[in-house]
Amino acid sequence: MKIERLIKMANDIGDFFNAESNKEIAAEGIRKHILRSWDPRMRREIIAYCQQDGAELSDLVRTAVSRLEQA
């Protein structure tokens, strides 16, 4: 899958969870959603993008993806 599509998908998930006032809970929700819904190749690609640049990801999504790296 093209990284542009993964970035859009991740940011869309982030937009949904951004309504949560507690950003720690929101980041964890994003992390869990990506773990549950994305296949391992997609996760590897978004993690690699975040490690290399990540500029097009929202701050909340970058936080969540960085936690995926640790999982």
Side-chain angles (χ1 to χ4, degrees):
M1 183 171 280
K2 292 188 178 196
I3 192 62
E4 294 83 8
R5 179 72 180 131
L6 293 176
I7 292 166
K8 179 173 180 358
M9 289 170 58
N11 282 330
D12 286 348
I13 295 165
D15 289 344
F16 175 82
F17 282 96
N18 198 39
E20 170 62 55
S21 60
N22 184 324
K23 297 310 174 195
E24 288 298 314
I25 293 172
E28 185 61 14
I30 296 166
R31 186 189 75 82
K32 286 181 179 178
H33 180 86
I34 291 173
L35 277 174
R36 186 176 56 245
S37 303
W38 289 26
D39 73 45
R41 290 172 297 167
M42 294 165 67
R43 292 194 301 265
R44 282 192 300 270
E45 288 181 41
I46 201 71
I47 289 168
Y49 171 74
C50 190
Q51 290 172 337
Q52 293 171 358
D53 179 22
E56 293 182 49
L57 296 173
S58 71
D59 291 339
L60 187 57
V61 172
R62 269 197 305 274
T63 298
V65 171
S66 69
R67 292 178 183 174
L68 282 172
E69 298 169 24
Q70 302 163 8

